[in-house]
Amino acid sequence: EMEEGFGAGEDDELEVVGHTGANAMSDYPHSRHTCVRFPFSSSQNKEANKKACPNCYCYVCDKVYTECGEWEESHCMATNNEQYWVQKRAIKSGKS
């Protein structure tokens, strides 16, 4: 039985309080450049960066990489360490 008021608030957030296994990043959604299963190549190796696990998100589009229409072309190279991609993400999200 749920506590009174549980889930009734306007702020529906999920809090992860534990994990079992080698690395939590492999089990939860994450940007492609932080994937532990397929390490990101910052050396512009697009073919290596196209590979992604089922929990990888496109950094620019902020959706699962398989739903990104520009993944193969360029978004697989996106990272928060490059201003170019940070700006692309801001434009895409309407926060520019």
Side-chain angles (χ1 to χ4, degrees), residues 55-82:
N55 291 318
C56 282
Y57 267 62
C58 171
Y59 174 74
V60 177
C61 298
D62 199 27
K63 55 183 161 184
V64 179
Y65 83 97
T66 56
E67 297 175 7
C68 170
E70 299 177 61
W71 184 258
E72 298 273 327
E73 181 182 313
S74 63
H75 285 190
C76 63
M77 299 301 295
T79 173
N80 65 340
N81 294 325
E82 294 181 30

Side-chain angles (χ1 to χ4, degrees), residues 14-67:
L14 173 67
E15 181 179 349
V16 178
V17 294
H19 168 72
T20 58
N23 192 317
M25 287 299 293
S26 65
D27 294 332
Y28 300 108
H30 51 267
S31 292
R32 168 61 185 93
H33 67 277
T34 62
C35 186
V36 295
R37 187 167 167 198
F38 295 102
F40 186 78
S41 170
S42 58
S43 65
Q44 302 301 312
N45 186 345
K46 191 185 289 185
E47 290 306 311
N49 289 341
K50 286 181 185 178
K51 295 177 185 172
C53 79
N55 291 318
C56 282
Y57 267 62
C58 171
Y59 174 74
V60 177
C61 298
D62 199 27
K63 55 183 161 184
V64 179
Y65 83 97
T66 56
E67 297 175 7

Side-chain angles (χ1 to χ4, degrees), residues 73-94:
E73 181 182 313
S74 63
H75 285 190
C76 63
M77 299 301 295
T79 173
N80 65 340
N81 294 325
E82 294 181 30
Q83 192 59 34
Y84 173 80
W85 293 115
V86 173
Q87 289 174 338
K88 287 279 194 188
R89 178 181 169 101
I91 291 167
K92 191 87 165 178
S93 69

